[in-house]
């Protein structure tokens, strides 16, 4: 019963970790999309700036330079947010719980299989009249079965 409980805990922790991972990657994608939009705006402003430098007086150029600086700062901020990739504390803890639960489950299964092997050897030994052979023979047979796996 403990093995089933550990498997359920491991599955629950993994589901929580995956939900948090998907949410974090979704936010990164949204920030990346924002950076792309502002990057395209920078290209448009550069074109307008070049046009204003060639055609208009100095005042429209200064206004365009201010707008360009704002777009560059916004694009840089969104790109920085998109490039951050730090798992949250909940994700880290869920991963640790899953790892521990899987370890305990494997250990529990190993102990259960060892007990089943010992019980099977003892019962087979008695069924074949092994009570006359003694405990040393039963231990040697059990050791050979475990090594032979």
């Amino acid at each position: 019963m403990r093995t089933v409980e550990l498997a359920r805990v491991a599955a629950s922790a993994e589901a929580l970790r995956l939900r948090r991972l998907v949410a974090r990657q979704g936010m990164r994608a949204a920030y990346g999309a924002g950076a792309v939009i502002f990057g395209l705006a920078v290209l448009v402003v550069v074109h307008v700036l070049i046009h204003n430098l060639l055609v208009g007086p100095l005042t429209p150029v200064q206004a365009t330079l201010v707008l360009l600086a704002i777009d560059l700062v916004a694009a840089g901020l969104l790109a920085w947010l998109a490039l951050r990739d730090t798992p949250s504390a909940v994700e880290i803890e869920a991963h640790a719980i899953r790892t521990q639960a899987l370890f305990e489950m494997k250990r529990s299964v190993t102990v259960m299989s060892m007990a089943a092997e010992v019980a099977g050897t003892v019962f087979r030994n008695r069924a074949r009249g092994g009570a006359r052979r003694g405990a040393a023979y039963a231990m040697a047979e059990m050791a050979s079965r475990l090594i032979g796996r």
Side-chain angles (χ1 to χ4, degrees):
M1 199 60 163
R2 177 171 160 76
T3 304
V4 173
E5 181 68 25
L6 290 171
R8 191 163 34 100
V9 168
S12 175
E14 181 66 8
L16 176 62
R17 189 183 72 84
L18 289 176
R19 280 194 304 269
R20 297 298 290 229
L21 175 72
V22 167
R24 182 168 42 98
Q25 296 301 340
M27 289 303 295
R28 288 183 69 208
Y31 290 139
V36 166
I37 289 170
F38 277 98
L40 290 174
V42 167
L43 290 176
V44 170
V45 171
V46 167
H47 287 95
V48 171
L49 175 65
I50 292 171
H51 176 69
N52 285 342
L53 283 173
L54 295 174
V55 175
L58 191 58
T59 308
V61 171
Q62 291 172 346
T64 303
L65 285 174
V66 169
L67 187 57
L68 177 65
I70 291 170
D71 283 345
L72 283 174
V73 168
L77 178 66
L78 288 173
W80 176 74
L81 289 172
L83 293 176
R84 278 190 331 165
D85 188 25
T86 54
S88 69
V90 173
E91 284 180 75
I92 293 170
E93 185 176 350
H95 185 267
I97 289 171
R98 181 197 67 159
T99 303
Q100 182 65 29
L102 287 175
F103 174 76
E104 291 290 331
M105 182 181 70
K106 287 176 188 175
R107 193 176 77 175
S108 174
V109 168
T110 303
V111 169
M112 288 172 63
S113 66
M114 181 77 79
E117 190 68 37
V118 168
T121 301
V122 169
F123 289 132
R124 275 191 301 273
N125 195 19
R126 286 190 180 175
R128 287 185 278 170
R132 288 176 265 137
R133 292 185 186 158
Y137 180 80
M139 290 178 71
E141 183 181 351
M142 185 173 32
S144 68
R145 286 181 173 277
L146 291 176
I147 292 172
R149 282 188 174 200

